[in-house]
């Protein structure tokens, strides 16, 4: 059975921007996203420092940003808050090794649409991107396949 092309509500590929200071992680995410029908990695950043400028530069802007929680430079939480205000149609998923409720609440309060663990299966990450691109929240837990 083949996967149908999943697109955004606008009928185009889901555009995903990856932000992580680990080049191996961004390379893996880029391969994962680009191999999925209906998704396209539109760039990778090594920190949140230039996130807002990159989102504004792209036309159309990314639909989803996969944002590492801990990086040098600007706090991922500060970047989330800015993104939520300055590009409300771009939804962010916080990626982290942490999955305690306090961390998840902090990310969601800062403007994240979802949280995933870097330890999640690739299929779970793709499902989270699809859900968030469609306007749904994604929280870690057994209902989402963890």
């Amino acid at each position: 059975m083949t996967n149908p092309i999943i697109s955004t509500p606008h009928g185009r590929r889901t555009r995903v921007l990856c932000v992580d200071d680990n080049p191996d992680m961004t390379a893996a995410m880029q391969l994962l996203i680009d191999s999925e029908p209906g998704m396209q990695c539109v760039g990778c950043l090594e920190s949140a420092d230039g996130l807002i400028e990159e989102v504004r530069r792209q036309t159309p802007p990314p639909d989803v940003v996969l944002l590492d929680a801990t990086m040098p430079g600007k706090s991922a939480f500060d970047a989330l808050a800015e993104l939520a205000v300055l590009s409300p149609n771009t939804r962010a998923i916080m990626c982290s090794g942490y999955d305690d409720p306090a961390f998840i609440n902090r990310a969601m309060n800062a403007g994240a649409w979802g949280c995933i663990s870097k330890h999640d299966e690739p299929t779970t990450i793709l499902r989270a991107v699809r859900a968030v691109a469609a306007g749904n929240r994604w929280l870690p837990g057994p209902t989402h396949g963890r």
Side-chain angles (χ1 to χ4, degrees):
M1 182 174 163
T2 60
N3 288 337
I5 292 187
I6 308 293
S7 60
T8 63
H10 306 293
R12 60 176 167 71
R13 288 176 171 226
T14 299
R15 298 167 46 84
V16 183
L17 177 66
C18 298
V19 184
D20 196 306
D21 61 323
N22 181 334
D24 292 335
M25 182 60 80
T26 53
M29 288 297 200
Q30 183 173 10
L31 284 172
L32 177 66
I33 292 161
D34 284 342
S35 69
E36 184 67 12
M39 287 188 195
Q40 174 186 14
C41 181
V42 294
C44 297
L45 299 175
E46 294 179 1
S47 76
D49 292 339
L51 175 61
I52 299 303
E53 292 78 15
E54 180 63 20
V55 168
R56 285 183 170 166
R57 184 189 68 76
Q58 292 194 21
T59 306
D63 300 298
V64 177
V65 173
L66 292 174
L67 182 63
D68 182 21
T70 54
M71 295 178 288
K74 180 187 284 186
S75 157
F77 294 98
D78 291 345
L80 272 175
E82 287 179 23
L83 184 66
V85 170
L86 299 173
S87 187
N89 292 327
T90 300
R91 298 175 177 136
I93 298 174
M94 182 76 83
C95 307
S96 176
Y98 309 108
D99 60 0
D100 66 87
F103 174 82
I104 293 166
N105 285 337
R106 183 176 176 208
M108 300 303 277
N109 288 337
W113 278 71
C115 291
I116 59 174
S117 171
K118 290 185 175 186
H119 307 293
D120 281 337
E121 293 292 323
T123 55
T124 301
I125 295 167
L126 293 171
R127 286 185 13 232
V129 170
R130 278 192 215 96
V132 167
N136 300 304
R137 303 284 178 176
W138 184 273
L139 298 174
T143 60
H144 287 141
R146 286 187 70 212

